[in-house]
């Protein structure tokens, strides 16, 4: 195996190890009771509130209580695993594990987390509508289809960000000071 | 040191290569996702039986006498211990929660420029086998999480505080992070090949340089 190939393999495995380590650290932070009670549950209640308002705008009479969205004939409780935080953890661990400047990581994290949350809102609203009007499809839509779509979206966002980062890192000017100036 | 030097900041070394995400890759990913979904809906019940058998085997190895019995039925894996009182309710464990992530793995492998070449298919099968092992381990954690935390006085008598936390946290980790991260990590390890992805190392580019 060539030197370059070994180096590439080392970078790839290094990324994977950092990713897994960060994911475990993030999990313990998010699963700890204080963070869960003071951050995750209120955040999830916020998702339920926004989803409830959007459902009402769309003509569905939905009431929100904490993390629950209910109508006269159907109700859902948004739990961990359905609030987009899990995909956010995955995305965050991947972005932080990938070699890049901190400023670009920060921008990637903010934009990525917002994009994931927008898609997750669509997921919650869609699932509520399916539960209300097509209850037979709710279980498979919830467990398999939407979960896969949201996680896949998070992974693709990371790959887009990472390929852009790699392009920037491989650009001819290797330092900020070397960048050409206009005029 | 001049001001320009002070502003000079070294960029980090380039990270690992990632696949090019263009419209074709998106289409391949979508087709892979839909095919995997159809496969999953068609074969998930049969697949569930295999992970139930694997988890029962692993559980029995560490039991004396071996009492755990698992029965996969209609999307649920019924947890039956031979020493449960006759007529008592048997906990049902959700199968799809454990193994739906097969769809993610297949969709990620489908992003490759030539997803059907034999070497790539072989790597996909290796990753799918590794995912099967992860599913079996996850089910073992779920079983012990039920034993350790859901059977009242029996749980307290048979599982100490550390053991309760170990099994419950392990299962919770899989639910919150592990089941989503596993397909990505397996695809990254098995499905990506730097020499295929790095344009500066591709044979085509080398030929161009020579000419």
């Amino acid at each position: 195996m060539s030197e370059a190939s070994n180096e590439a393999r080392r970078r790839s495995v290094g990324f994977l190890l950092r990713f897994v380590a960060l994911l475990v650290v993030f999990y313990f932070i998010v699963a700890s009771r204080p963070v869960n009670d003071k951050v995750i549950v209120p955040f999830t209640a916020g998702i339920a509130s926004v989803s409830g308002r959007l459902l009402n705008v769309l003509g569905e009479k939905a009431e929100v209580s904490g993390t629950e969205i209910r109508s006269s004939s159907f109700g859902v409780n948004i739990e961990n695993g359905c609030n987009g935080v899990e995909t956010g953890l995955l995305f965050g661990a991947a972005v932080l594990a990938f070699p890049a400047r901190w400023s670009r990581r920060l921008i990637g994290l903010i934009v990525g987390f917002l994009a994931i949350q927008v898609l997750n809102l669509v997921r919650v609203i869609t699932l509520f509508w399916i539960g209300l009007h097509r209850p037979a499809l709710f279980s498979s839509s919830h467990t398999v289809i939407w979960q896969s779509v949201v996680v896949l979206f998070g992974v693709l966002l990371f790959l887009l960000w990472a390929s852009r980062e790699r392009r920037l890192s491989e650009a001819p000017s290797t330092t900020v000071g070397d960048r050409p100036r206009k005029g | 040191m001049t001001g320009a030097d002070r502003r000079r900041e070294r960029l980090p070394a380039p990270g690992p290569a990632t696949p090019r995400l263009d419209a074709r890759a998106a289409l391949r990913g979508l087709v892979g996702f839909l095919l995997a979904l159809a496969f999953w809906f068609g074969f998930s019940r049969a697949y569930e039986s295999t992970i139930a058998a694997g988890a029962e085997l692993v559980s029995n190895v560490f039991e004396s006498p071996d009492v755990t019995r698992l029965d996969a039925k209609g999307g649920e894996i019924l947890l039956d211990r031979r020493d449960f009182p006759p007529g008592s309710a048997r906990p049902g464990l959700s199968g799809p929660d454990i193994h739906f992530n097969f769809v993610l793995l297949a969709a990620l492998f489908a992003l490759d420029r030539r997803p059907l070449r034999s070497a790539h298919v072989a790597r996909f099968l290796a990753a799918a086998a590794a995912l099967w092992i992860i599913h079996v381990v996850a089910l073992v954690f779920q079983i012990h999480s039920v034993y350790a935390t859901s059977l009242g006085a029996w749980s307290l008598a048979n599982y100490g505080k550390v053991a309760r936390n170990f099994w419950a946290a392990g299962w919770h980790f899989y639910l919150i992070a592990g089941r989503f991260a596993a397909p990505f990590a397996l695809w990254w390890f098995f499905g990506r090949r730097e020499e295929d992805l790095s344009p500066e190392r591709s044979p085509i580019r080398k030929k161009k340089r020579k000419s």
Side-chain angles (χ1 to χ4, degrees), chain A residues 23-24 26-32 36 40 79-91 147 151, chain B residues 97 100 168-182:
Chain A
L23 199 67
V24 172
F26 287 170
Y27 165 74
F28 278 109
I29 292 170
V30 168
S32 68
N36 182 67
I40 303 298
E79 296 178 345
N80 277 339
C82 303
N83 52 13
V85 170
E86 69 294 334
T87 307
L89 294 186
L90 183 81
F91 179 77
Q147 280 202 130
V151 176
Chain B
D97 275 340
F100 82 91
W171 170 237
H172 192 239
F173 174 77
Y174 183 72
L175 274 184
I176 298 297
R179 60 183 173 159
F180 306 115

Side-chain angles (χ1 to χ4, degrees), chain A residues 8 11-12 15 19 23 27 80 86 90 98-101 143-144 147-148 151 155-156 159 163 166 176 178 181, chain B residues 8-9 11-18 21 40 97 100 104 169 172-173 176 179-181 184 188 192 200-201:
Chain A
R11 279 188 305 188
S12 184
F15 165 80
F19 167 73
L23 199 67
Y27 165 74
N80 277 339
E86 69 294 334
L90 183 81
F98 199 85
R101 284 170 61 185
T143 310
V144 187
Q147 280 202 130
S148 301
V151 176
V155 171
L156 294 181
L159 293 177
S163 59
R166 200 176 145 82
V176 172
D178 291 340
R181 289 179 184 179
Chain B
R8 199 171 286 244
E9 182 191 350
L11 295 172
T18 52
L21 290 181
W40 186 89
D97 275 340
F100 82 91
L104 284 171
H172 192 239
F173 174 77
I176 298 297
R179 60 183 173 159
F180 306 115
F184 173 67
W188 188 272
R192 284 171 58 265
E200 73 273 22
R201 289 187 197 108

Side-chain angles (χ1 to χ4, degrees), chain A residues 91 95 102-114 157 161 165:
Chain A
F91 179 77
V95 166
W102 279 102
S103 55
R104 294 205 200 118
R105 278 182 177 148
L106 190 64
I107 293 167
L109 286 174
I110 292 169
V111 173
F113 192 76
L114 286 176
L157 272 182
W161 175 85
E165 269 314 304

Side-chain angles (χ1 to χ4, degrees), chain B residues 145-168:
Chain B
S145 171
V146 169
Y147 287 167
T149 62
S150 304
L151 301 179
W154 187 90
S155 296
L156 293 173
N158 289 282
Y159 286 83
K161 194 176 175 185
V162 173
R164 281 202 300 277
N165 280 308
F166 174 76
W167 292 112

Side-chain angles (χ1 to χ4, degrees), chain A residues 1-6 8, chain B residues 194-196 198-211:
Chain A
M1 198 177 275
S2 71
E3 186 71 21
S5 181
N6 274 335
Chain B
E194 292 273 338
E195 47 272 44
D196 292 347
S198 304
E200 73 273 22
R201 289 187 197 108
S202 75
I204 296 167
R205 178 70 67 92
K206 277 179 185 169
K207 274 183 188 172
K208 278 182 183 173
R209 278 178 190 164
K210 278 177 189 171
S211 66

Side-chain angles (χ1 to χ4, degrees), chain A residues 102-181:
Chain A
W102 279 102
S103 55
R104 294 205 200 118
R105 278 182 177 148
L106 190 64
I107 293 167
L109 286 174
I110 292 169
V111 173
F113 192 76
L114 286 176
I116 288 165
Q117 285 306 321
V118 169
L119 185 68
N120 199 55
L121 273 180
V122 177
R123 168 208 205 178
V124 171
I125 291 165
T126 312
L127 284 174
F128 189 85
W129 189 91
I130 290 171
L132 203 56
H133 299 286
R134 300 277 186 276
L137 299 177
F138 179 80
S139 180
S140 54
S141 304
H142 170 245
T143 310
V144 187
I145 299 172
W146 261 117
Q147 280 202 130
S148 301
V149 167
V150 174
V151 176
L152 206 53
F153 179 70
V155 171
L156 294 181
L157 272 182
F158 162 69
L159 293 177
L160 278 173
W161 175 85
S163 59
R164 184 173 178 275
E165 269 314 304
R166 200 176 145 82
R167 269 203 317 276
L168 290 170
S169 303
E170 286 177 341
S173 58
T174 54
T175 59
V176 172
D178 291 340
R179 283 180 185 165
R181 289 179 184 179

